[in-house]
Structures are given as C-alpha cells and as structure tokens.
Amino acid sequence: MMTALAAFFTLGTAPVWATETTEQAAVDTITVTGRFLSIDQLNAVKTPTPVLDVPQSLSIVTRAQLDDQAFSSIADILRYTPGLAVSQGEGHRDAIIIRGNQSTADFFLDGLRDDVQYYRPLYNLEQVEILRGANALLFGRGGGGGVVNRVTKTAQLDENFGGLTSSLDTFGAYQVSGDVNSVLSDTVAFRVNVFGEHQENHRDVFEGDRFAVNPTFTVDLGDQTQAVFSYEYVNDDRVVDRGVPSVTVVGGPDVPLDGYRDTFFGSADGNYTTLEASIFRTRLDHTFSDTLRGNVTIQYADYDKYYQNIYAAGFEADDNPPQLTLDGYADETARQNFIAQGNLVGEFETGPFSHTVLLGIEYGDQSTSNARIDNTFATSNDDRDTIDFSTPISVPDYAFVDTLRDRESDVQFASLYLQDQIDLTAQLKLVLGLRFDRFDVDVLDREAVSATDDGRRGRVDEEVSPRLGLIYKPAENVSVYASYAESYLPSAGDQFLTLTRSTPTSTGTEDIQPQRFENTEVGLKWDFTRNLSLTTALFRVERGLFTSVDPNNVSQVITIPGSVTDGFEVQLTGQLTEAWTVNAGYSYLDSTIDGGGFDGNRTLQTPEHMISIWNEYQATDQLALALGVTYQDSYFVREDNAVEVPDYTRVDAAVFYDLSDQTRLQLNIENLLDEEYFPDAHSNDNISTGKPLNARITIRHRF
C-alpha cells in the first residue's frame, strides 16, 4: 500500500478519465458552455447538460484514451477507473463490481440495454461512459451501483476519412482493425468499422479468435431530421479459463494458490465458449424548434451464446500428493431483445425559472431460452472427481449429460420517465425526476414440470424510481452538488431466469420483492482551467434483500438481507502543463453485509482502496512517453470472507512516435516490474492470475 501511495503522489494526483475531457461545444441551436454529454452523441444523460451540472459521479473514456493505453476489453478500462472493480465472469463474460454491487447486465449500447453475458469489443466506440450511483431514471431496472454505456461511431456527413490499425504482443496475440467513412452525397454518408483478433496470453492453454463488423449509414432527411442506420455482427470463440484454486491458511482466510501462474486448471479441449451476436439499430432525430427536439431509437438484437468448462472446485495442498477436485457444466443461451425508446428535450421559462425538461418512454420485449447441463466424470460417475495434482493436469474422461436447468423466459417492460432541471438562480439548479416501470416476467421451468406443477412462473412489478439533485455554482467553473436516487432489480435477477416457487421450507424468488438500491451522494466538480478538472464524491449506497451464490454450493442461490457501501472518490484529469497530461483516481469503499449469517462481512470482490494513474509527457513534436500505475487493495472473493485475494501494484508504460502526420508507432508495456498478482476472481476456487511482463507494438495510419 505504501509503495502505491508513494507512486500516486510522485506522479500526480487524480482519477482516471475523470469525467470532463472534451472542449466547449454547441448542439445545433442549443449552445452550452462547458464539457457536456450531448443528446446528439447518444450519450447517457440524454440532455445537453454540462458535466459540471450533472449531480453524480461519472467518468468518460475517450477514443484517444482507449488507443493510447491499448485497451482491448471493458475490464482494461475499469482497472483504470475509480470506484470499479472487475469480476472474473467465469472466463466468458464481462462482470463488474460498482460501489460494492456486482452485475453482469448493467451494460448499455448508445443508451439501450445490452445485457447478454459476453465480452464486449471496443473497436467501434467513440467513448465509454461510466455513471456511478443508482441510475433507474435514465436506464430502468438494475444499475444500483452504476452503469457502463458504450457510445458507437456513426457515419459523418462532412468529410471522407479512414484509418488502419494493427498490433502484435509478446504472447503472439494480434489485432487488425479498420475505420472508413465515405460521404456518398450531400445527404448520405457510409461508415464501416471492422475488427479481427487472435488471442493468446501467459496461460498454458488459452487462445481465441474474435471478429466484428459494424456498418452505419447516416441520412439527412431534410427539415431538421436525420436518421442513422446501424448493424453490428460479433463472433467470438475462445477458451474458458477460470484461474487457480485457493489453499488453506492456518488461523486466517484462505489465499490463492501461488506458483502456478501459467497452469491451466481445466480441460484443454473441453473449455470453450462461442458467441454470435447481431444488433440492428435505427435512430431518428428531429429538431422541432430552437427549444424543442426529440429522437426515437429502435433496436433488435439476437444473441447465441454457448460455453462449457471443467474447473477447480477444491484443492488440498497438504496431502501427498496434493488433491485437486474438479467440477464442470455446459450452458447455452439464446436471447432476442426488441427495445424502442423515445425522448423529447425542451427548454422553456416559467417566470424567473429556466427549465430543461426530458420526457421519455421505453418499451422492451426480451425472449430468452437457457439450459445448463451438468457433467459426469467416468471415473467417479459423479459431477465431481478428485485427482492427484500434477502439471499439466490430467482431466479424467467426462460427458455433459444431466440437465440442471431448462428454462424459457419472456420479459416485457414499459417505462415512462420525466426529469426537469430548473435554474432557480444563476448559481442554484434543481434536478427533479421520476420514472415508472412495469416489469412483467414469465418463465417456463421445464425441469419443474410434474403432475401438479405446469412449470410456469411469473411476476409483475410496478416501480417508481425518483431522482433528486441540487447543484450550487459559486463560480462558473465550480459546482457543489447533493443527490438522491433509487433503483431496483426484479427478483428474477439481472438475467431474469431465477424465478422459483415457494416450498414449505424456503421462500421462492417468485415471492421476493424487487431488490432496492438507494444512492445518496455529495460532491464537488472544479474546472481549474479548460483543460484541467477535479471531481470528488462522498456517497452511500444501500442495497436491500438480494440473492447470491452459496459459497459452499455454487449450484444453489441464497438470500442476503442487504448491504451498505460508504465511499469516497477523487479524480483529476487534464493538462498539468502543455506537455504533461494526467488521468488518475482514488476510491475508498467500505462495503459490508447488513444482516443475516454474513452480517458485518465485506461484500464480494470490493477492494477498500483503489488507485489508478496514467501520465503522458510530450517530449518532442514526434515523441511522447507514458507511465501508469494501478493499485488494488486486498478483497474477499465471496460473502463468507473465506478466501482473501492479496493486494497488488502494477506499473504500465508506453512510448509513442509519430512517423508522419498520418502514421504513429506505439509500444505499450504491461506489468513493467513483472508483479505476480491476482487481478480478479469468480468463486473461492476460481481466481485469475495476472499477466507477467509483456509488450504490445501497434502501428496506426490515418488517411
């Protein structure tokens, strides 16, 4: 910890992509001074509001930042974002911990829900927006700790341009991507982003291949109306790696197995996942007048996901030879999402007060089929088998034969939301908002069908989610805010497949009220200059009754009365000098279980302290250097606090050299000091190992 703090104060304070990184801008006839999230950019707040006037903590990761740090995944971004931690996701999906709350579904694409469990590519993004705190008013269910919104590139009507990027790292992984924009006429433009990669890393077995393409058309329909048509196809095929098990420590919590950073605890042939996703989107924007504008977006997405794996379920290091217990299963999901959303943004005055009003409606229909099939080992005739540990691991013969879950669900939701930002005086602003959601889930559980049970489960929830914010601006470049917001998550869970019926000895999720989140926050935002900004936030997140995986039986779900997270974040971003740019952050999270058998324990995978810093220095007109540091405190894997993952400090670096105005050569070095560490986990015996010292060389050409 002291090493990390020394690095933090030596390199400069501040949090990573702190929120404000763009220049002054104009939105058609609505002119706003300051950095803002624009409705034109499909960004998260849906109104042309300066970031300085948003009463919550948020971060914006720009395209330039994605490129400079050679980020290739959502996890890469979050490791450099305060207040967020990464969960392993069983080696086949994005999973995040925001302010002590875990989610695999609080992801959005241009403001619309993108909740299937998969690894989201970054090749076609303008920026990534990370909003922290309850966000039901803008996003609906979930989002109790926050949300991640990806903003995609669209065809531009004003110029032709293009770019090619290729990279290769020391493990043998490589990427190639292209971005071409073509103006076809005065009113039509076409843009296509394409991406392909081969994945390798330090693990003995891991590899994968991913391909994606995203064509878009922009059409100026005249009369202040513009349409954007988009299609994205993603194909991902990779090994499922669930890391290493834990070992017993006398007198303390267990710890990850050390010394086997490269060893693959699974089946070289049987651990894999495949994904095919097709996402169609149409957006129509219309300006009615200087003070009224609106948009409608319709999205249809089809996802087919499959994964199967053998993984460590226990390890006895003291036996001779050590004993390794293996388990496994296969899982398949097909989902179709239809979502339609409309927004109206108006500006008007009532007496001395100015108003910016957002009125929105949203409708969605999500159909899902999911099945889970348990494995059977030939040697034990059971779904688990204990073997002598050796490297490489010799996995006994197995087959996936026993159906554990076979369900279909249909979710329909309808939402109406209204928000008014009122300028009470030149210095004081009030934000008031309400959202009404009707969430109707029907599940067919085929495994529950019997002579007395038709297997049908269902629940309807109607929820009102408020938002209240007060902003005081003692100067044009300073704001002090206080906010309160609520969010909820239906008892069907973030993947809405967990509805069960009550039994005499337990409470079924069909009878459980939605999980509730309350976020109370005060903060300060200060633009020292146009290019240097500070933000701070002090907050409390209270979560009601929720479900989690039983640490002693991962196939079972348990209920936990609630949790409370008290925290603090500070961010500084921008130019310290003309040559030196810094993006850095610090977060403190005191997150504990409130009630039940785990009362007082830490919530899962929530480090108390996290620090991130990225410095870039423009040494000459052609040469730039960068140095980054991330520190993550120790954390407990599950709510039982039986396994503790140690803290770590990782140092990254980069060198940039402009061969010409159009061509850049870039070298990124990860884990410069070759730290052995465990960055994330899923369960007490599935803990990821960090990559050793490695490098990636990239060449970018723009034309």
Side-chain angles (χ1 to χ4, degrees):
M1 176 65 182
M2 294 306 298
T3 302
L5 288 174
F8 181 81
F9 289 109
T10 299
L11 292 172
T13 58
V16 69
W17 321 147
T19 60
E20 299 104 338
T21 54
T22 60
E23 298 293 331
Q24 292 184 338
V27 182
D28 291 349
T29 55
I30 303 175
T31 301
V32 180
T33 300
R35 288 161 295 275
F36 65 92
L37 303 182
S38 162
I39 195 171
D40 284 344
Q41 296 174 295
L42 305 178
N43 293 0
V45 298
K46 297 182 171 66
T47 59
T49 304
V51 170
L52 205 63
D53 296 344
V54 176
Q56 71 180 109
S57 180
L58 59 93
S59 299
I60 299 174
V61 185
T62 66
R63 179 73 251 173
Q65 294 161 340
L66 295 174
D67 291 340
D68 286 355
Q69 292 193 252
F71 289 151
S72 62
S73 68
I74 294 291
D76 289 340
I77 296 171
L78 301 190
R79 296 191 207 287
Y80 269 92
T81 304
L84 286 92
V86 179
S87 189
Q88 183 193 87
E90 299 176 277
H92 65 83
R93 66 190 179 201
D94 290 323
I96 55 179
I97 312 288
I98 306 183
R99 292 184 171 179
N101 298 279
Q102 185 181 49
S103 177
T104 64
D106 289 327
F107 299 96
F108 292 80
L109 189 63
D110 294 328
L112 297 183
R113 191 168 294 276
D114 177 42
D115 53 8
V116 168
Q117 297 177 337
Y118 72 107
Y119 286 119
R120 292 155 179 84
L122 309 179
Y123 72 103
N124 61 339
L125 302 186
E126 289 286 0
Q127 62 190 39
V128 178
E129 302 163 350
I130 302 159
L131 284 78
R132 294 181 285 280
N135 282 280
L137 187 134
L138 296 175
F139 295 97
R141 69 183 188 270
V147 301
V148 176
N149 181 50
R150 293 175 295 145
V151 181
T152 58
K153 301 174 182 178
T154 58
Q156 303 298 303
L157 289 164
D158 54 354
E159 64 174 324
N160 295 311
F161 59 84
L164 294 172
T165 301
S166 62
S167 66
L168 174 69
D169 73 15
T170 49
F171 298 120
Y174 56 85
Q175 295 182 2
V176 179
S177 64
D179 177 5
V180 177
N181 187 86
S182 179
V183 179
L184 304 181
S185 71
D186 291 342
T187 59
V188 180
F190 171 73
R191 187 172 187 174
V192 62
N193 280 266
V194 64
F195 159 83
E197 71 171 344
H198 175 69
Q199 303 157 346
E200 299 276 357
N201 64 19
H202 63 295
R203 305 284 281 164
D204 290 338
V205 171
F206 182 81
E207 65 174 353
D209 294 286
R210 182 164 57 165
F211 167 77
V213 60
N214 180 202
T216 68
F217 282 93
T218 298
V219 182
D220 187 346
L221 300 176
D223 194 27
Q224 300 295 307
T225 305
Q226 188 176 90
V228 176
F229 304 94
S230 172
Y231 168 70
E232 182 178 14
Y233 174 77
V234 181
N235 187 298
D236 193 347
D237 186 344
R238 69 178 73 196
V239 169
V240 171
D241 180 11
R242 296 178 62 161
V244 301
S246 62
V247 294
T248 301
V249 174
V250 177
D254 295 350
V255 297
L257 176 64
D258 200 8
Y260 293 90
R261 180 165 64 181
D262 301 340
T263 303
F264 185 71
F265 286 76
S267 169
D269 300 321
N271 282 41
Y272 67 88
T273 182
T274 61
L275 167 84
E276 279 193 284
S278 292
I279 304 172
F280 302 85
R281 187 181 306 105
T282 299
R283 176 182 167 103
L284 189 69
D285 284 271
H286 180 70
T287 300
F288 296 96
S289 69
D290 289 351
T291 58
L292 182 64
R293 60 190 304 164
N295 63 69
V296 175
T297 306
I298 297 175
Q299 174 179 289
Y300 174 79
D302 183 90
Y303 308 87
D304 284 299
K305 166 80 179 294
Y306 177 83
Y307 69 95
Q308 64 177 45
N309 56 167
I310 301 297
Y311 58 90
F315 190 81
E316 295 296 336
D318 294 335
D319 291 351
N320 190 18
Q323 298 294 290
L324 171 66
T325 299
L326 297 173
D327 201 344
Y329 62 86
D331 192 285
E332 56 184 2
T333 298
R335 180 173 297 164
Q336 294 80 42
N337 284 355
F338 172 81
I339 301 174
Q341 182 186 99
N343 297 286
L344 277 175
V345 179
E347 294 183 316
F348 61 90
E349 294 182 356
T350 57
F353 305 133
S354 298
H355 301 262
T356 300
V357 175
L358 166 68
L359 174 64
I361 59 173
E362 188 172 37
Y363 171 80
D365 192 326
Q366 300 180 264
S367 299
T368 305
S369 62
N370 173 264
R372 176 161 294 191
I373 305 170
D374 204 4
N375 70 296
T376 297
F377 288 105
T379 49
S380 66
N381 197 32
D382 190 38
D383 63 345
R384 290 194 173 196
D385 198 3
T386 299
I387 62 173
D388 292 344
F389 173 64
S390 62
T391 56
I393 293 169
S394 179
V395 177
D397 291 339
Y398 61 90
F400 298 104
V401 292
D402 296 325
T403 301
L404 295 177
R405 182 171 67 218
D406 185 4
R407 297 175 184 169
E408 290 185 3
S409 72
D410 185 70
V411 171
Q412 292 183 341
F413 62 89
S415 308
L416 175 67
Y417 47 93
L418 176 67
Q419 177 181 278
D420 188 6
Q421 178 175 300
I422 308 168
D423 292 354
L424 301 175
T425 69
Q427 290 79 35
L428 191 61
K429 301 176 186 291
L430 178 65
V431 177
L432 297 171
L434 283 175
R435 180 179 181 120
F436 171 78
D437 288 292
R438 188 180 193 275
F439 186 86
D440 186 347
V441 57
D442 290 303
V443 175
L444 171 60
D445 186 348
R446 292 191 177 90
E447 288 300 295
V449 173
S450 68
T452 58
D453 189 344
D454 63 3
R456 295 285 179 182
R457 311 285 184 262
R459 183 179 173 89
V460 175
D461 290 300
E462 294 182 343
E463 295 290 332
V464 175
S465 303
R467 184 188 193 195
L468 172 64
L470 188 65
I471 303 153
Y472 175 66
K473 301 186 71 173
E476 185 63 30
N477 63 329
V478 180
S479 69
V480 180
Y481 70 87
S483 66
Y484 173 82
E486 293 182 8
S487 187
Y488 76 98
L489 181 66
S491 58
D494 59 14
Q495 296 298 323
F496 37 85
L497 285 170
T498 61
L499 279 184
T500 58
R501 183 161 295 171
S502 297
T503 68
T505 59
S506 67
T507 299
T509 54
E510 193 178 40
D511 299 320
I512 294 178
Q513 293 293 319
Q515 180 185 156
R516 302 208 64 82
F517 303 86
E518 297 182 14
N519 185 86
T520 306
E521 182 171 329
V522 295
L524 167 72
K525 298 182 181 182
W526 189 349
D527 291 348
F528 297 120
T529 69
R530 288 183 54 178
N531 299 312
L532 183 64
S533 300
L534 172 74
T535 66
T536 66
L538 185 67
F539 56 86
R540 165 170 279 208
V541 180
E542 298 177 80
R543 173 172 50 166
L545 182 72
F546 66 98
T547 59
S548 186
V549 174
D550 186 345
N552 298 315
N553 185 351
V554 295
S555 65
Q556 298 295 319
V557 173
I558 60 174
T559 57
I560 297 175
S563 68
V564 176
T565 302
D566 291 310
F568 171 74
E569 298 168 358
V570 58
Q571 299 180 300
L572 177 74
T573 187
Q575 289 183 276
L576 297 175
T577 69
E578 288 189 3
W580 183 10
T581 301
V582 62
N583 294 285
Y586 166 76
S587 63
Y588 167 78
L589 297 172
D590 180 12
S591 188
T592 57
I593 302 298
D594 185 17
F598 297 142
D599 184 43
N601 283 8
R602 300 280 301 180
T603 59
L604 61 80
Q605 298 168 48
T606 306
E608 190 171 22
H609 301 279
M610 287 182 284
I611 300 171
S612 59
I613 311 164
W614 181 257
N615 297 269
E616 288 192 25
Y617 183 77
Q618 193 70 39
T620 70
D621 289 344
Q622 292 177 289
L623 177 67
L625 307 173
L627 184 66
V629 176
T630 59
Y631 170 79
Q632 181 171 282
D633 206 351
S634 62
Y635 64 86
F636 293 103
V637 177
R638 303 299 307 185
E639 290 90 351
D640 62 353
N641 289 187
V643 177
E644 185 175 19
V645 175
D647 65 345
Y648 71 87
T649 301
R650 194 185 83 186
V651 178
D652 302 327
V655 180
F656 311 93
Y657 188 79
D658 293 332
L659 301 174
S660 68
D661 290 342
Q662 290 79 36
T663 306
R664 164 169 281 199
L665 191 63
Q666 175 177 334
L667 175 67
N668 288 84
I669 301 174
E670 180 182 323
N671 198 4
L672 183 65
L673 303 182
D674 200 25
E675 172 95 349
E676 292 195 26
Y677 68 102
F678 302 92
D680 50 61
H682 171 68
S683 68
N684 286 340
D685 283 301
N686 296 164
I687 305 165
S688 301
T689 62
K691 294 178 183 178
L693 169 67
N694 68 94
R696 175 179 292 274
I697 188 167
T698 303
I699 186 166
R700 305 183 191 279
H701 180 70
R702 299 289 180 257
F703 56 86

